Amino acid sequence: MEYKQFIFDKFGFMGVDFLNEIDKVAIFTNVDARNEIIREGQKNRFVPFLVKGLIRVFTLNDGRELVYYYIRANDSCLMTFSSIFTDYISRVYAVAEEDSEVMLIPISVIQKWLIKYPEINKIFYYEYDKRFSDVMNMVNDAVFHRLDRRILNYIKQQIAITGHNPIKLTHKEIANNLGTSREVVSRVLKKIENEGEVFQSKEGIYICENVRRV
């Protein structure tokens, strides 16, 4: 019932005929936290829609990650969708940040739907707008902000995505996502902690504007 509700909420505007078709081809699967969904160079066979959870989409360069965006519940992966117009080869990695539920639609079916049900393009235009904004924010952060501000913005972003403050993040995870080293992150975090913007404990990293130290 939960999956049928997800399909209706996401695609109800497409009409009954479309809902009947998607009900026949949709594949629902669970992905454990930290597990890879797709990797760079792998051939895409499905377009994923996230029912529940959180997915990180990124590339690797010399072992360092560059995060493009996060897929949240009810979103899809624009980079996967765009591959159906080229060679089906993924140009990104996608990894579950937490236990997630995903609906998969075969790319071959999506291609037919683009012709048979042109209204479906509204969903992908919407996804494009959100993902473009995410990437622009990432570029602006990298170009115009110092590393201490980028680290603080990243922590705030993770708190906003997960709703957890404090948030469990290792210095290595932050470094990987921002394309720097763990040692640099540790040094910068200590600096901004001394300035009163964050507070680190065994529970995780707090943003101090929302928490009172004891």
Side-chain angles (χ1 to χ4, degrees), residues 7 21 35 44 48 55 64 69 77 97 105 111-112 120 122 143 153 160 167 173 175 182 202-203 205 211:
I7 290 175
E21 284 199 35
N35 278 11
N44 288 318
I55 295 172
R64 292 184 176 181
Y69 51 80
C77 181
E97 286 282 279
I105 303 295
Q111 287 179 315
K112 294 176 182 177
I120 199 175
K122 289 182 179 179
V143 172
N153 286 346
I167 187 166
E173 288 172 325
R182 181 189 60 78
K202 63 181 180 180
E203 285 81 25
I205 303 176
V211 69

Side-chain angles (χ1 to χ4, degrees), residues 30-63:
N30 295 319
V31 182
D32 293 335
R34 309 294 182 185
N35 278 11
E36 190 175 81
I37 297 171
I38 192 77
R39 63 171 32 243
E40 186 176 357
Q42 183 177 339
K43 188 168 184 176
N44 288 318
R45 296 172 51 230
F46 301 94
V47 173
F49 294 85
L50 188 61
V51 179
K52 186 185 299 182
L54 183 67
I55 295 172
R56 183 174 83 257
V57 178
F58 62 95
T59 57
L60 285 175
N61 188 356
D62 292 332

Side-chain angles (χ1 to χ4, degrees), residues 3 28-32 100-102:
Y3 291 151
F28 289 89
T29 185
N30 295 319
V31 182
D32 293 335
S100 301
E101 298 175 18
V102 180

